[in-house]
Amino acid sequence: MKQFEYVRPASVAEAVAAAARPGAAYLAAGTNLLDLMKGGVSRPDRLVDITHLDGLDRIERLADGSLRIGALVSNADLAHDAEFARCYPAVAEALLSGASAQLRNAATVGGNLLQRTRCAYFYDTASRCNKREAGSGCDARGGENRTHAVLGWSESCIATHPSDFCVPLVALDAIVEIEGRAGRREIALDDLHRLPGETPARETALEPGDLIVAVRLPPAAREFAAHARYLKVRERTSYAFAVVSAAAALRIENGRIRDVRLALGGVAARPWRARAAEDLLKGATPAKDVFREAARRALADAKPSGDNAFKIELARRIVVRALTLAAAGTPARIPALPASPLASTSGAIHA
Amino acid sequence: MPELNLTSAPAHLRHGSNIGQPLTRRDGVLKVKGQATYAADNHPPGMLFAVMAVSSIARGRVTSLDIAAAKRHPGVVDVMTPDHKPPLAVDPEVKTNPFVFRMEVLQSNEVRYANQPIAVVIAETLEAATEGAVLLAPRYEALPALVGLDAGESYVPPVVGVGNPTENHRGDVEAGLASAEKQIDATYETPPQYHNAMEPHAIVAHWDGDHLSIDMPTQGLMLSLARIAELFGIAHDKIHIRSPFLGGGFGSKGLMAGPPTLGIMAAKLVGKPVKLVLRREQMFGPVGHRAPTRQRLRIGADGEGRLTAIDHHARTVSSTFDDFYEPAADASHTLYAAPAIRTSHDAVRVNTGTPLFMRAPGEATGSLALESAIDEMAWACGLDPLAFRLKNYAEVEPITGRPFSSKALRACYEQGAARFGWAQRVREPRQMRDDAGLLVGWGMGTATFPALMFQAEARAVIRRDGSGAMEIGAHDMGQGAWTALAQIAADAVGLDIDRVDFKAGTSDLPDAGIAGGSAHTATAGAAIHSAGAAVIAKLADLATGDERSPLFGAGNAGVIARDGKLIRRDDASRSESYADILSRAGLVEVEARGTGAPNPAAMQDYAMHAHGAVFAEVKVDPELGQVRVARMVGAFAAGRIVNPHLVRSQLYGGMIWGLSFALHEEAITDRRSGRIMNANLAEYHIPVNADVPPLDVITVEEHDPHVNALGIKGVGEIGITGSAGAVANAVWHATGVRVRRFPIKIEELLTDL
């Protein structure tokens, strides 16, 4: 491996200072970064290990009804926090549908947000990739791209963001707390990930040194607990990234949809909030027809970036199903095969 | 290598026959404790680490390597390249026998496939060697890569598999098709697959003068040894290979490949022990794979559903520089009683490493196409798939007309179908749903694999203390050879298993042949059986010819060996212990050798195959297309079962691979560059636990007097065959969509697009 400097700052301020230098990268669990380094995809000069920083591994209920999740909380700890799973069931289900139990035990909340695309051409250093090396070209275009983006892609890049966790978080208006050289600021998670445009190497709104210290769910996010699901179609039952996924959350009062949140995963360079579909659903009576129309709207701008036209129709169907499942009500227990369309299959023990 | 401390738990202490007992694996405790030493666990003093730099282009040549940059990196000791390497005694391009495959060991700067080794960096640490390989920053002159089943002009290879004729026929296929009332003409595609054993290829090589000491997983100790001796120009007795455990092989560790050869060269270059372990992505190239196939099946049947003809043509690929052809169409030789059968193959050359044996080579790919086509034909004839198969049950081997040495397939069908509940199946597709609304489908497939035998030798010893030893250079790939062969050994010398010192896994022991072709237990077992019989015969001579022995004069009646004693066959009250016989004779021990080999006369007279029937239930989301196998039942008849516990595990593994074949596994090759884009275990999908349903294996009793002395047919590969077809047929039955391109993908099942 390339030799690199390893620093372990004692405070967030030290961390930010250490990571602001060019060539530095934050190291949390490293479930993605270390693979990237072993493959020569990322070659940082300096790793700033934040795993020993105090205070970043807490789940806190704030006075206003928000929930604040420290960036170092592990995916497993968050998903298995009973209070969290009760209040934000779609988020817990998404977390449990991702990766494997071993990876979830290690992977962190902040790291999940910043995981890199699974585009094979990004990982293959012999291929051209505008994300890995700005201006080099995109070999995914015209290549093996049946799982690539159908929304928000550009000629420069057709990669998708692979996170499950981010999909319901974006739906629920999660906020990202960032510590940077100019102090603390916060942005909507929906604004964290950028679409590729002409500059796919610029993946997020983060500046050098910026450290995500927490993710916050606003008070309204709890109001969907009774009708919230995450649904993920994948090519094996577990340990696979989504071909397409969707988070649907409804607030139903007197048989009508008072409020709704809908987001798609695996379709774009960022978790895809479907606001036009949400607008259509607000005030409607939950039913297949209106769900179908919402799905049509959610994918209205979709176009294939390669051999992946099927993903558009699949995404429509997943939207309909996710809304249908959400309308039916959050199950009392997260299924043994979380987020799987086959969750009801008998004999399923775990995923 | 320190002595292995294999389990002798109470469960293994038994009297009487060992064959047939479900002993747990004797190497299990070592493995659970992390004490089983795999090749890469060896760290001799002074050992250096070697890392291969591999080509990122699929065709062309290397024009430059920045050797200086690599050598400047701290810890890098040397860089082996075509210009700087120890000489080989023979040109590795020369094929001295059919089991020699060409390998890339830095003989030129030509690149023939992506991931081909182009240099080896040797360093004091793995990290330094790894970075040194990156710093080489190779430059290339690239040529357009040949990719896929239509890469170029096709040709008819001289042979397929290991010396099988490219074309076979019996009867008049065209007439059979012309006379048929029902016909199908369907084309199926299977993708390239890579073995991906959990343990990658690895070697620790150490030269001491002209002595070469090697730790390396191999399925063929003596074949590897012979190839190494030839390549390095040293005598066989100067080489010692240790391979006590393999973390899987599946055919990719059968023959000496390029990367371990590079490890030996690197050790020679630097004069120190060297370890070379492949990275996962480096497994996708220089160590073999299963070639893709495109198979066309034309099948005819009469108005009663009796087959009139099967025409099975397979297109496959080989590398641009060597020849191995997946004998896919040969799967149609043995199963169905068509009066006319024709099988044929053609191929194109592509820029890949040379394809090779991969678990059930030919049978796995061919059976998936054949079983799919048979299912389509049953539907076309309006018959239940099992009824159709029974109607066309082959009483003699269809392609040759020879009788079977044994064939309990009918019992497999019956027992498997009964356990599965097949009789409840609705014939029309897309008729069954579960409570959750998921589509449910039931499918079946017939399993078959030839019962092969190779050559092996074993040495048996009986010692004065009444204990025994059995020595054979056999290979435990994880399948349980340490246990199953020891069971055979114990019976062969008439001792309890804990009284027999069973030695295997090193090249200084008698040649056990290759652990391949599902023939290792049969071949090594036959050698052990015959060595045991020979050593017992020597003991018996000592006893029956000595008037002081209670067995004196029993020579004509004979003796049997049991519990450490020879017992007069016609009078069980007269016996003498091994210890007494040897001490009276003043001998420390008595030893004998025995061999196992195929019986040419029996092979001429009989077709020898294991059989099975696999039944699968799948569930499919009707709108989203995701598939999950809900349960599988496999009933297999494979002659004598030495250890039912291990055999069941072997069959489970095969069935899971069949499921994987139908639904998951595929190497995705960039059509432009020829690079494999999913050369890692996150994206090269094999089933995870959550994909594997409850599996039910039935071993059907079968007595075969012809295959070999022990009646063993082998179970290493048959589990894949039949299983992939059963899953694919179940997907059709669930959805009404016949997918002919594997693995079956979600988009194929999104109907009404």
Side-chain angles (χ1 to χ4, degrees):
Chain A
M1 278 170 81
K2 178 186 166 183
Q3 295 196 334
F4 55 85
E5 186 189 5
Y6 171 85
V7 296
R8 192 187 280 184
S11 67
V12 168
E14 271 184 47
V16 170
R21 298 229 305 252
Y26 284 118
L27 173 69
T31 56
N32 191 198
L33 177 64
L34 297 188
D35 275 355
L36 291 165
M37 290 172 67
K38 287 178 192 168
V41 181
S42 293
R43 293 176 63 80
D45 300 313
R46 163 185 269 202
L47 286 190
V48 181
D49 182 349
I50 56 166
T51 54
H52 297 266
L53 295 182
D54 282 338
L56 298 184
D57 60 351
R58 284 185 226 140
I59 306 168
E60 302 163 84
R61 179 92 180 267
L62 304 183
D64 68 349
S66 306
L67 188 83
R68 186 170 184 278
I69 309 157
L72 289 179
V73 174
S74 79
N75 288 9
D77 283 349
L78 183 60
H80 292 298
D81 183 294
E83 163 87 0
F84 177 81
R86 192 163 57 246
C87 297
Y88 315 99
V91 188
E93 191 168 15
L95 280 168
L96 292 175
S97 75
S100 64
Q102 294 89 337
L103 286 165
R104 293 193 295 269
N105 285 340
T108 64
V109 161
N112 191 302
L113 269 50
L114 295 178
Q115 68 182 291
R116 313 294 296 277
T117 180
R118 303 306 299 191
C119 173
Y121 296 90
F122 172 72
Y123 279 80
D124 178 33
T125 54
S127 295
R128 297 176 306 154
C129 174
N130 288 321
K131 201 181 256 309
R132 182 167 22 79
E133 195 181 334
S136 63
C138 172
D139 277 337
R141 286 288 276 157
E144 303 306 315
N145 50 23
R146 61 179 278 279
T147 59
H148 283 68
V150 293
L151 282 163
W153 55 271
S154 72
E155 290 299 326
S156 298
C157 182
I158 60 172
T160 62
H161 192 260
S163 170
D164 293 302
F165 180 45
C166 287
V167 179
L169 283 183
V170 157
L172 295 174
D173 285 335
I175 293 152
V176 182
E177 296 182 12
I178 299 162
E179 196 79 43
R181 282 170 298 178
R184 184 164 293 220
R185 70 184 198 282
E186 50 186 58
I187 61 172
L189 175 59
D190 203 17
D191 295 327
L192 178 68
H193 301 103
R194 295 160 48 104
L195 290 179
E198 308 265 292
T199 54
R202 189 83 212 282
E203 293 178 342
T204 68
L206 297 181
E207 300 292 334
D210 276 356
L211 177 66
I212 294 176
V213 293
V215 173
R216 216 168 64 232
L217 283 164
R222 307 167 67 93
E223 293 168 10
F224 300 92
H227 295 278
R229 290 305 297 272
Y230 182 68
L231 183 67
K232 173 181 180 181
V233 169
R234 57 200 124 166
E235 308 207 280
R236 61 183 166 193
T237 307
S238 177
Y239 192 44
F241 292 94
V243 177
V244 180
S245 69
L250 303 168
R251 188 149 67 80
I252 298 176
E253 284 176 13
N254 303 320
R256 286 186 177 275
I257 299 171
R258 277 293 303 274
D259 200 359
V260 54
R261 305 292 175 79
L262 182 66
L264 290 157
V267 294
R270 68 178 190 214
W272 194 265
R273 180 80 178 263
R275 291 181 202 277
E278 290 176 5
D279 291 344
L280 176 91
L281 290 166
K282 272 177 204 156
T285 306
K288 206 106 187 172
D289 284 352
V290 71
F291 291 163
R292 285 209 183 99
E293 180 57 18
R296 201 190 59 74
R297 280 207 192 185
L299 278 301
D301 296 330
K303 58 179 195 297
S305 59
D307 300 329
N308 56 358
F310 79 96
K311 284 183 68 169
I312 299 171
E313 174 61 17
L314 180 61
R316 286 191 197 106
R317 295 182 186 190
I318 288 172
V319 165
V320 172
R321 179 73 63 81
L323 287 166
T324 306
L325 290 171
T330 306
R333 291 176 62 89
I334 291 178
L337 302 176
S340 172
L342 305 166
S344 60
T345 310
S346 61
I349 299 160
H350 62 85
Chain B
M1 186 174 75
E3 285 295 306
L4 294 173
N5 184 17
L6 297 167
T7 301
S8 53
H12 291 83
L13 301 181
R14 54 170 305 101
H15 303 288
S17 172
N18 283 280
I19 293 176
Q21 300 304 323
L23 304 191
T24 57
R25 64 177 65 237
R26 298 160 72 229
D27 45 334
V29 171
L30 285 180
K31 287 180 172 172
V32 169
K33 287 183 167 176
Q35 291 169 347
T37 309
Y38 289 79
D41 296 330
N42 291 285
H43 284 206
M47 187 189 79
L48 300 177
F49 295 82
V51 167
M52 298 190 321
V54 298
S55 168
S56 63
I57 64 164
R59 183 182 174 204
R61 63 188 192 93
V62 179
T63 55
S64 79
L65 294 166
D66 194 346
I67 293 159
K71 282 192 164 173
R72 273 197 304 274
H73 189 71
V76 171
V77 173
D78 207 345
V79 179
M80 191 164 73
T81 68
D83 297 328
H84 178 58
K85 63 176 192 304
L88 294 174
V90 296
D91 180 354
E93 293 291 298
V94 175
K95 287 172 80 84
T96 48
N97 72 62
F99 286 103
V100 163
F101 283 86
R102 299 196 170 106
M103 53 170 76
E104 292 67 36
V105 284
L106 305 178
Q107 300 303 295
S108 80
N109 58 14
E110 186 192 355
V111 174
R112 316 197 272 206
Y113 59 89
N115 288 341
Q116 174 190 316
I118 55 172
V120 175
V121 178
I122 305 139
E124 287 161 4
T125 63
L126 175 62
E127 292 78 4
T130 303
E131 182 64 8
V134 172
L135 293 171
L136 288 173
R139 291 175 179 277
Y140 305 95
E141 196 174 277
L143 291 168
L146 302 169
V147 182
L149 286 159
D150 300 304
E153 282 289 300
S154 70
Y155 58 96
V156 176
V159 294
V160 294
V162 183
N164 305 3
T166 306
E167 300 193 14
N168 276 282
H169 69 275
R170 182 181 178 88
D172 186 337
V173 163
E174 293 306 331
L177 289 170
S179 72
E181 271 197 32
K182 304 282 184 190
Q183 271 200 48
I184 62 149
D185 180 346
T187 300
Y188 307 87
E189 286 198 15
T190 64
Q193 298 176 345
Y194 285 75
H195 303 76
N196 272 309
M198 197 180 342
E199 177 202 32
H201 291 63
I203 187 167
V204 176
H206 183 191
W207 289 88
D208 183 4
D210 64 348
H211 278 76
L212 177 58
S213 164
I214 292 173
D215 295 287
M216 174 181 79
T218 173
Q219 299 172 238
L221 279 162
M222 293 313 289
L223 274 174
S224 295
L225 184 138
R227 182 68 168 142
I228 293 166
E230 178 181 67
L231 285 169
F232 291 91
I234 51 177
H236 285 206
D237 62 4
K238 304 281 192 198
I239 305 169
H240 187 231
I241 308 176
R242 293 168 297 274
S243 181
F245 307 108
L246 286 85
F250 312 123
S252 75
K253 291 172 183 160
L255 304 173
M256 196 64 189
T261 306
L262 288 169
I264 300 170
M265 290 167 68
K268 190 157 199 173
L269 184 72
V270 296
K272 287 187 175 174
V274 163
K275 171 154 88 171
L276 188 151
V277 181
L278 293 199
R279 292 166 63 107
R280 179 60 58 183
E281 66 269 25
Q282 294 176 339
M283 304 273 289
F284 290 74
V287 291
H289 66 285
R290 197 195 302 279
T293 70
R294 180 185 297 144
Q295 303 176 54
R296 182 179 180 200
L297 275 124
R298 294 191 301 153
I299 302 183
D302 66 17
E304 306 293 312
R306 273 185 298 267
L307 291 168
T308 59
I310 298 176
D311 185 25
H312 190 162
H313 177 76
R315 157 75 57 90
T316 187
V317 304
S318 191
S319 68
T320 55
F321 56 92
D322 211 341
D323 297 278
F324 181 85
Y325 300 94
E326 177 85 5
D330 291 1
S332 287
H333 289 167
T334 59
L335 277 182
Y336 300 108
I341 296 176
R342 179 168 63 203
T343 62
S344 56
H345 299 81
D346 71 352
V348 299
R349 293 203 182 273
V350 297
N351 290 115
T352 63
T354 305
L356 209 60
F357 316 94
M358 180 161 157
R359 206 174 190 184
E363 289 82 7
T365 45
S367 143
L368 176 50
L370 174 64
E371 291 305 307
S372 296
I374 288 292
D375 204 62
E376 297 202 45
M377 198 66 213
W379 173 246
C381 292
L383 287 169
D384 170 82
L386 176 54
F388 182 73
R389 284 171 171 85
L390 287 169
K391 194 174 270 265
N392 291 286
Y393 191 86
E395 301 292 354
V396 296
E397 187 179 51
I399 195 74
T400 62
R402 287 181 303 182
F404 291 102
S405 60
S406 62
K407 180 178 178 181
L409 176 57
R410 214 184 287 277
C412 295
Y413 284 141
E414 280 165 15
Q415 294 181 30
R419 182 76 63 88
F420 187 84
W422 182 260
Q424 304 305 311
R425 182 178 181 271
V426 180
R427 201 167 55 79
E428 289 74 26
R430 215 179 171 98
Q431 296 301 309
M432 292 158 59
R433 297 236 181 190
D434 72 1
D435 293 345
L438 296 171
L439 298 168
V440 176
W442 288 1
M444 67 166 297
T446 308
T448 181
F449 197 83
L452 304 174
M453 280 283 284
F454 302 127
Q455 308 260 356
E457 191 184 16
R459 175 174 175 267
V461 179
I462 303 287
R463 302 183 187 121
R464 197 200 297 215
D465 67 359
S467 71
M470 186 67 73
E471 297 178 349
I472 183 162
H475 317 86
D476 196 317
M477 300 162 67
Q479 86 280 40
W482 278 118
T483 309
L485 295 180
Q487 288 176 254
I488 297 172
D491 283 4
V493 296
L495 287 167
D496 291 342
I497 197 166
D498 64 318
R499 296 287 283 155
V500 182
D501 187 5
F502 180 71
K503 292 184 177 162
T506 59
S507 65
D508 53 348
L509 300 173
D511 181 4
I514 191 166
S518 299
H520 200 40
T521 308
T523 305
I528 289 167
H529 178 76
S530 107
V535 80
I536 293 299
K538 282 191 178 178
L539 262 188
D541 280 351
L542 288 175
T544 58
D546 187 335
E547 59 190 12
R548 292 167 295 177
S549 167
L551 298 173
F552 177 64
N556 290 330
V559 293
I560 52 173
R562 197 169 65 214
D563 301 340
K565 289 181 292 201
L566 296 184
I567 303 163
R568 199 176 155 120
R569 193 179 291 278
D570 59 355
D571 180 1
S573 70
R574 293 170 68 184
S575 69
E576 189 171 33
S577 74
Y578 301 170
D580 288 348
I581 296 168
L582 286 173
S583 37
R584 195 182 47 242
L587 293 172
V588 175
E589 62 177 40
V590 57
E591 63 115 24
R593 287 175 179 256
T595 57
N599 175 350
M603 288 171 66
Q604 191 113 41
D605 292 344
Y606 295 102
M608 300 174 177
H609 302 279
H611 293 93
V614 183
F615 300 83
E617 174 178 314
V618 304
K619 300 203 174 186
V620 184
D621 188 292
E623 286 141 13
L624 306 180
Q626 195 167 331
V627 179
R628 189 159 185 274
V629 179
R631 60 192 179 103
M632 288 176 86
V633 174
F636 298 93
R640 179 181 290 195
I641 301 303
V642 174
N643 182 321
H645 193 58
L646 296 169
V647 162
R648 202 178 311 120
S649 291
Q650 279 273 65
L651 294 169
Y652 284 158
M655 289 165 72
I656 293 166
W657 203 326
L659 181 167
S660 182
F661 204 126
L663 299 180
H664 299 295
E665 223 174 315
E666 174 180 28
I668 297 167
T669 310
D670 183 281
R671 59 199 92 168
R672 302 154 305 178
S673 71
R675 295 179 55 72
I676 294 164
M677 299 312 296
N678 60 340
N680 61 73
L681 290 182
E683 322 288 343
Y684 182 94
H685 285 175
I686 55 171
V688 297
N689 280 326
D691 292 301
V692 179
L695 300 173
D696 199 346
V697 162
I698 301 164
T699 46
V700 172
E701 189 164 331
E702 187 177 65
H703 175 68
D704 192 315
H706 304 296
V707 281
N708 48 58
L710 293 168
I712 297 168
K713 286 184 173 176
V715 294
E717 293 160 275
I718 190 171
I720 301 183
T721 71
S723 297
V727 171
N729 293 336
V731 169
W732 170 78
H733 188 240
T735 62
V737 179
R738 177 63 68 177
V739 180
R740 300 189 182 90
R741 188 184 182 127
F742 299 98
I744 295 170
K745 295 194 175 74
I746 286 165
E747 57 264 42
E748 310 266 15
L749 303 177
L750 295 180
T751 44
D752 319 318
L753 263 181

